[in-house]
Amino acid sequence: MPRPPSPSIPEKEFLYGSLKQSLRLDGRNPLEMRTPTLTFGPDLGWVECAMGKTRVIAQVEGKMVKPPPERPLEGLITIHSELSPMASSEYESIRPSEEEVTITRMLDKVLRRSDVVDKESLCVLSGQRVWHLRLTIHCLADAGNMLDCACLAGVVALKHFRRPEVEVVGEEHDPSERAPLPLSMHHTPFCFTFAYFPDPTILPVLDPSHLEQRLSAGLMSVALNAQRELCVVQKAGGMPLDQQEVLRIVDVAVGKAKELDKLVETRLKEDWAGRTVEVR
Amino acid sequence: MTLVLPGEQVPAQHVNLKLGPGLLQLSSANGDSAIVATRAGDLNHSANRSKWWIESNSRRYVPAPQESVIGMVIARSGDNWRVDIGSAHMATLDGLAFEGATRRNRPNLKVGSLLYARVSLAHKDMEPELECFDAQTHKAEGFGELKGGFVVHCSLKMCRLLLDPKFFLLPLLGARFPLETATGLNGRVWINAKEARHIIAVSRCIEAVDPDGGSMDEAGIKKFLGTLDI
């Protein structure tokens, strides 16, 4: 189907006009993000993250596997993400869209290549047994900025997950002996997407809505943690940006990352307090 | 009012029976006919039990004849326009289906223009067709291109509610500031007001009241309007 049609002329003109007055359609400030709501499921490592109407589910599962011979001391992490037509009728199930490729690659960079999880701590028996973590990301609804939502869901799921502590007795390992342990994480990166508009007098907006994303002249995604460590900067085409501008955006993102870190920590603590994990 | 599921039989009987959305008459070989539901929702009927329909909420629009919709021009093909009305297929709009349009003088629509039109033909095996005038009088009757303003997307139930003259939202907003709206039954509402912040206020209110989203009531909206800058 020849989808998606680009937004209509009145929509485009109105959005640009109101952004010029620093007004956003959902009443946010240009550099204000939607407050994410995190819902934890009955299992450890199951998180639903909602930013406005954008909703993503992330789930972590752990499995014992034999490590590849070139890295006998490291665990494995794989990320599976899929954008199905469930999220929005713009996505087709047959061919991955450009956006899907971007999201998959960004997730890989932010959650795996930036060394979020200490892979050596996933080793059970060198060269014999390591943990294989499988992070599945389901995009349920796309109302703009799916990338940030998916990254947040993924990171929180990894933080929420606890792997069973196993004891190796000869060749056997018994997972039910002790309380499950949280993964040892090096840092907590968050992704922030900024949208730029063709008119240079319009300031960039953080966490663009669906319409803003469609009418933007370029997106820039910055992934960093609350300790000011920059992990990924992605800008695929679009408007050329000034060096000063990039630095300014990174500064803004640092502030947001600190806020988000606090929110995630409190939510995780609340959830853990209300949870009883059986130790048999 | 009862809840029905697709496939369920409906006890609709009348000499002059009229079936509304969500109901289908199935006739078998021996001449009997049964009325079955084709969607899930609340079964309603008129006071004298002659008109029956199912009320439910959804996001995807299925065209039905004589419904007013808001569409966007996608392309031009010959004398016709291809219009996106949010349904599974594009609708066609005859270039002459406007008030006062002739071969020489036809409206100048661009790709991306918004239209307020009526579905003139909706057959399950054919592409829907639109018209921008009353076929009898050839007068515009309010249909035509929508210039300026903004379009809000909402659930189909929300736009039916907005068309109800007794519904509280539009009179409440109209008492605060002058505004113009055109409600399409395809889940799109065009709004226009003098100032951008007013348009934004209307669009946020519609989203807040939408039964698919916030489902806020009148008291809630009054409080919400107080927090907005209008």
Side-chain angles (χ1 to χ4, degrees):
Chain A
M1 221 150 89
R3 287 257 162 162
S6 56
S8 63
I9 298 170
E11 278 174 287
K12 188 157 79 186
E13 279 168 3
F14 179 73
L15 187 91
Y16 290 156
S18 53
L19 280 175
K20 237 179 221 168
Q21 303 171 39
S22 296
L23 291 170
R24 287 176 81 174
L25 289 173
D26 37 15
R28 281 184 281 157
N29 292 324
L31 292 178
E32 187 182 335
M33 60 187 291
R34 297 168 286 185
T35 314
T37 9
L38 298 167
T39 321
F40 299 99
D43 292 337
L44 289 163
W46 191 101
V47 179
E48 183 186 324
C49 176
M51 288 166 88
K53 282 191 173 163
T54 306
R55 281 167 65 215
V56 173
I57 285 178
Q59 190 187 10
V60 182
E61 297 164 314
K63 209 170 67 177
M64 282 278 199
V65 292
K66 196 174 162 60
E70 62 273 16
R71 293 187 187 277
L73 292 169
E74 286 184 6
L76 302 166
I77 299 172
T78 46
I79 301 173
H80 298 260
S81 59
E82 202 175 314
L83 281 180
S84 65
M86 172 167 63
S88 159
S89 54
E90 286 168 23
Y91 303 117
E92 290 171 59
S93 47
I94 317 141
R95 198 167 42 88
S97 63
E98 201 172 307
E99 192 172 4
E100 181 170 355
V101 176
T102 322
I103 289 186
T104 315
R105 289 175 57 162
M106 254 324 250
L107 281 171
D108 189 61
K109 282 180 198 157
V110 175
L111 299 178
R112 208 164 65 87
R113 301 242 299 264
S114 77
D115 254 341
V116 170
V117 180
D118 180 12
K119 281 192 199 146
E120 285 183 19
S121 73
L122 295 175
C123 177
V124 178
L125 198 61
S126 148
Q128 299 291 316
R129 280 277 179 274
V130 294
W131 282 103
H132 176 192
L133 299 183
R134 183 190 156 100
L135 172 63
T136 323
I137 290 183
H138 293 284
C139 300
L140 300 185
D142 181 10
N145 202 11
M146 190 100 89
L147 175 63
D148 292 8
C149 197
C151 284
L152 181 63
V155 157
V156 177
L158 286 172
K159 280 181 92 80
H160 188 245
F161 180 71
R162 295 188 179 218
R163 69 176 168 84
E165 170 70 335
V166 295
E167 199 174 3
V168 182
V169 183
E171 282 288 286
E172 295 293 304
H173 49 78
D174 186 5
S176 53
E177 286 281 293
R178 300 185 206 158
L181 286 180
L183 301 172
S184 102
M185 312 257 288
H186 285 131
H187 66 134
T188 323
F190 299 108
C191 185
F192 299 95
T193 301
F194 294 82
Y196 286 83
F197 295 93
D199 186 339
T201 58
I202 300 177
L203 294 171
V205 298
L206 172 62
D207 184 19
S209 70
H210 194 64
L211 190 66
E212 285 165 346
Q213 203 168 343
R214 291 288 300 281
L215 290 171
S216 68
L219 296 172
M220 183 163 93
S221 301
V222 181
L224 41 66
N225 58 22
Q227 290 75 44
R228 297 186 68 99
E229 288 166 328
L230 197 59
C231 305
V232 187
V233 175
Q234 171 177 281
K235 188 171 177 310
M239 296 239 309
L241 287 188
D242 205 357
Q243 184 187 346
Q244 295 297 312
E245 174 63 20
V246 177
L247 290 175
R248 190 182 76 87
I249 286 306
V250 171
D251 267 345
V252 171
V254 168
K256 297 288 168 192
K258 282 185 182 148
E259 281 171 33
L260 204 52
D261 194 54
K262 259 190 214 125
L263 180 118
V264 167
E265 290 300 331
T266 30
R267 283 294 291 125
L268 280 168
K269 221 172 263 167
E270 276 169 28
D271 175 70
W272 187 245
R275 196 177 280 273
T276 41
V277 174
E278 274 179 46
V279 184
R280 278 165 288 178
Chain B
M1 206 160 66
T2 44
L3 189 78
V4 287
L5 294 171
E8 218 168 287
Q9 282 227 8
V10 172
Q13 262 176 350
H14 197 268
V15 244
N16 190 10
L17 187 64
K18 277 212 161 142
L19 297 181
L23 291 171
L24 183 74
Q25 182 178 28
L26 288 181
S27 33
S28 56
N30 54 20
D32 305 343
S33 74
I35 312 294
V36 290
T38 56
R39 66 167 84 146
D42 283 324
L43 182 67
N44 287 279
H45 59 79
S46 60
N48 63 352
R49 304 176 77 87
S50 68
K51 297 180 182 114
W52 292 71
W53 70 94
I54 292 176
E55 208 150 296
S56 59
N57 195 7
S58 65
R59 296 178 195 170
R60 174 65 78 167
Y61 177 64
V62 180
Q66 301 307 315
E67 286 188 342
S68 343
V69 292
I70 289 179
M72 184 176 82
V73 177
I74 295 292
R76 180 177 189 157
S77 61
D79 283 353
N80 299 331
W81 301 98
R82 312 272 293 150
V83 182
D84 168 51
I85 55 169
S87 59
H89 299 277
M90 296 281 165
T92 22
L93 170 67
D94 193 325
L96 297 175
F98 289 85
E99 181 185 321
T102 53
R103 287 232 163 263
R104 293 275 162 74
N105 170 28
R106 58 182 77 207
N108 178 28
L109 295 177
K110 287 196 275 299
V111 167
S113 301
L114 280 178
L115 288 165
Y116 190 47
R118 181 186 14 228
V119 179
S120 59
L121 181 114
H123 190 274
K124 64 179 166 124
D125 299 320
M126 286 162 74
E127 282 191 342
E129 278 178 28
L130 305 178
E131 61 186 11
C132 277
F133 62 25
D134 189 311
Q136 257 100 51
T137 60
H138 283 254
K139 286 276 185 290
E141 305 276 347
F143 295 110
E145 188 183 354
L146 300 168
K147 286 179 185 141
F150 185 67
V151 182
V152 192
H153 295 248
C154 59
S155 67
L156 299 189
K157 183 146 196 185
M158 185 65 208
C159 53
R160 287 199 297 270
L161 283 176
L162 285 174
L163 282 175
D164 182 356
K166 289 197 282 295
F167 192 61
F168 69 90
L169 184 63
L170 291 179
L172 184 72
L173 292 167
R176 299 285 182 107
F177 47 82
L179 70 125
E180 220 182 329
T181 61
T183 310
L185 279 166
N186 55 345
R188 295 179 191 184
V189 185
W190 174 82
I191 41 185
N192 200 2
K194 275 242 172 61
E195 288 181 54
R197 57 201 170 90
H198 289 161
I199 298 183
I200 292 175
V202 179
S203 99
R204 289 186 67 187
C205 284
I206 291 177
E207 261 165 40
V209 175
D210 198 331
D212 187 32
S215 43
M216 214 183 254
D217 58 352
E218 190 166 353
I221 279 294
K222 278 189 180 144
K223 212 182 275 172
F224 180 60
L225 273 174
T227 63
L228 294 178
D229 156 51
I230 43 170

